[in-house]
Amino acid sequence: VKRVTVRSGAEHCDSEIIIDLGGVIRAHHHLKVSQYSSVAIIGDLGASTHVQGVAASCGVPSSQILLLSGGEKCKGVETLSQVWEFLSQIGADRSSLLIGVGGGAITDLSGFAAATYMRGISAAYIPTTLLAQVDASVGGKTGINVGGIKNLVGSFQQPRVVLIDPETLSTLPSRQKISGFAEIVKHGLIKDSEYFSMVTSQPCSELSGTELTPIIGRSCDIKAEIVTSDEREIGPRKLLNFGHTIGHALEGYFLSLGESGSPEKILLHGEAIAIGMIAEAFISSKLHLLPREALLSIERAFQQSGLPTRLQTPCTYQDVAARLASDKKKRGKEVLWSLIKGIGDGIYDVRVPPELYTEAISYIQPSAQ
Ligand SMILES: NC(=O)c1ccc[n+]([C@@H]2O[C@H](COP(=O)([O-])OP(=O)(O)OC[C@H]3O[C@@H](n4cnc5c(N)ncnc54)[C@H](O)[C@@H]3O)[C@@H](O)[C@H]2O)c1
Ligand SMILES: [Zn+2]
């Protein structure tokens, strides 16, 4: 069992991350459920066997479990309101614990519901996707989507405990696993070159729960250290946005194609971020921050690991320009970029001449590979 602490600026609000292979059956102990007046579970239907496991360990009756279909659709005001009403109906009070069990959408939603119900109750997460285990459940950002804008409304509130059981990944489709792996690789690229080489040395979809356990632990260490140094993202936390300026724009554009009748074109978050990291490593090399050889070795490492480096469906700069400009992380009119000046060496608040945006989008087109 490995433990990682995320220290929060708010007093008595530190968050403990516990990584325990097979630990779902010890959820009762890890989450200290006996401390609370009652326990409610918001569970991801896509992870229902794991939800049942948590409920059994914690002695939560089915009347105190709300099962929701996971995925982005559940991160809206209607579902949030459904969660608030559910909590009220089962008599949850200020000393209750809300446990979110599922992917990042479910943990983000549960966290925001807990942060707002009765002005805030305790939350715990049991993330069941790789992305949620190394990213969404670590760092205390909660939120929902409003008016088609991702994470427009939310809060910073650390969960009391995050219990990560890599065995829950055994049911995860490999495409989802690869998507989560992109964030792991990002942690290496911005902070730890040795870790980057280690995690990209073999196809990530073949890694077992046992092999993934120390990797998840190291990624949680890296993210926790960054978040502890800058919880509110005014400085170093921005490093975590590497790959995300272009990645988010790609994700949004291909989602819009998906919604207008080509669902096969939709990119998962991590797929968009992987290609976004290549585009932003390219920008880094064009700015002479990153040697050209390093860019090429990053691309080889991605291929070895099974991460995409180019789009499958072409897009033009015009297709994504508006989405690039509306990046939520921008200040005023200007987009400030998080780039790398070496493998394992991220920097933030970099200005990039707009000509390079177009070049970077050309670089990641299917024909370029
Ligand atoms: N709070 C943060 O700091 C932060 C960081 C990164 C991402 N996020 C958020 O996380 C969300 C994405 O999370 P995600 O990638 O986990 O996707 P997701 O929550 O949409 O889950 C993906 C799919 O996997 C299913 N699923 C979950 N666990 C499973 C399991 N063990 N076996 C099989 N299927 C399972 C879900 O039902 C869903 O259909 C986004 O909403 C994003 O905004 C938040
Ligand atoms: Zn991400």
Side-chain angles (χ1 to χ4, degrees):
V1 178
K2 177 184 164 80
R3 290 167 194 271
V4 179
T5 306
V6 179
R7 299 207 187 282
S8 164
E11 244 178 288
H12 311 301
C13 286
D14 291 354
S15 178
E16 181 160 47
I17 301 166
I18 299 167
I19 301 139
D20 179 13
L21 186 66
V24 159
I25 54 169
R26 291 177 283 280
H28 169 82
H29 164 73
H30 289 314
L31 272 48
K32 302 192 173 80
V33 293
S34 58
Q35 289 185 348
Y36 300 92
S37 59
S38 68
V39 178
I41 296 178
I42 307 300
D44 191 321
L45 260 174
S48 48
T49 47
H50 313 303
V51 176
Q52 295 316 323
V54 174
S57 167
C58 297
V60 179
S62 58
S63 57
Q64 280 168 225
I65 305 172
L66 179 64
L67 275 178
L68 298 170
S69 15
E72 219 48 40
K73 295 169 303 296
C74 77
K75 271 180 67 172
V77 268
E78 294 79 18
T79 326
L80 175 65
S81 162
Q82 195 186 337
V83 174
W84 286 328
E85 283 173 39
F86 162 73
L87 292 172
S88 161
Q89 274 156 19
I90 63 169
D93 61 30
R94 299 206 54 190
S95 312
S96 300
L97 174 68
L98 177 60
I99 311 176
V101 186
I106 289 288
T107 56
D108 275 15
L109 171 78
S110 315
F112 191 54
T116 45
Y117 179 74
M118 290 191 169
R119 300 196 178 86
I121 65 170
S122 298
Y125 302 152
I126 303 186
T128 61
T129 63
L130 187 56
L131 188 120
Q133 296 184 347
V134 298
D135 194 357
S137 69
V138 182
K141 284 187 184 175
T142 78
I144 58 162
N145 309 327
V146 176
I149 304 175
K150 271 191 79 168
N151 305 321
L152 185 68
V153 176
S155 67
F156 284 98
Q157 178 170 300
Q158 297 294 345
R160 288 292 179 90
V161 181
V162 179
L163 170 60
I164 299 175
D165 176 356
E167 236 162 55
T168 60
L169 304 176
S170 61
T171 54
L172 197 66
S174 78
R175 197 176 159 198
Q176 289 284 353
K177 204 159 152 186
I178 295 168
S179 171
F181 212 78
E183 304 285 358
I184 289 176
V185 165
K186 178 192 76 181
H187 293 145
L189 282 176
I190 60 173
K191 270 284 170 197
D192 184 341
S193 63
E194 245 173 70
Y195 180 56
F196 176 76
S197 315
M198 190 270 277
V199 296
T200 54
S201 62
Q202 59 179 306
C204 64
S205 57
E206 287 168 15
L207 295 167
S208 66
T210 313
E211 290 167 311
L212 278 170
T213 302
I215 295 178
I216 293 167
R218 178 68 189 131
S219 268
C220 288
D221 272 336
I222 292 174
K223 185 163 181 188
E225 189 189 314
I226 293 175
V227 170
T228 296
S229 72
D230 174 29
E231 195 180 17
R232 299 277 160 153
E233 200 171 314
I234 44 186
R237 189 168 183 167
K238 295 179 188 174
L239 292 173
L240 294 164
N241 297 330
F242 176 60
H244 283 62
T245 304
I246 289 181
H248 275 150
L250 297 172
E251 191 181 4
Y253 171 66
F254 287 103
L255 180 64
S256 74
L257 291 190
E259 283 166 347
S260 51
S262 314
E264 75 287 353
K265 293 187 176 152
I266 292 179
L267 288 176
L268 296 180
H269 176 74
E271 294 170 333
I273 290 332
I275 300 166
M277 286 192 281
I278 297 299
E280 296 181 17
F282 169 81
I283 291 177
S284 304
S285 79
K286 281 285 172 175
L287 291 175
H288 305 293
L289 293 165
L290 182 75
R292 175 94 188 160
E293 310 82 76
L295 169 65
L296 299 177
S297 86
I298 291 170
E299 291 189 35
R300 281 193 302 273
F302 273 41
Q303 284 156 2
Q304 210 161 255
S305 175
L307 293 176
T309 59
R310 295 293 187 280
L311 292 166
Q312 277 186 337
T313 306
C315 79
T316 65
Y317 173 64
Q318 278 66 36
D319 291 333
V320 295
R323 287 186 173 83
L324 272 178
S326 72
D327 191 286
K328 264 208 319 298
K329 306 299 190 311
K330 77 174 194 286
R331 260 185 80 197
K333 280 213 173 84
E334 196 170 24
V335 182
L336 293 173
W337 296 68
S338 299
L339 299 175
I340 48 174
K341 55 183 170 32
I343 295 177
D345 197 1
I347 46 167
Y348 57 91
D349 283 350
V350 184
R351 293 189 167 80
V352 173
E355 314 85 80
L356 280 187
Y357 299 13
T358 334
E359 271 193 68
I361 298 298
S362 312
Y363 191 75
I364 53 172
Q365 295 306 307
S367 55
Q369 199 160 27

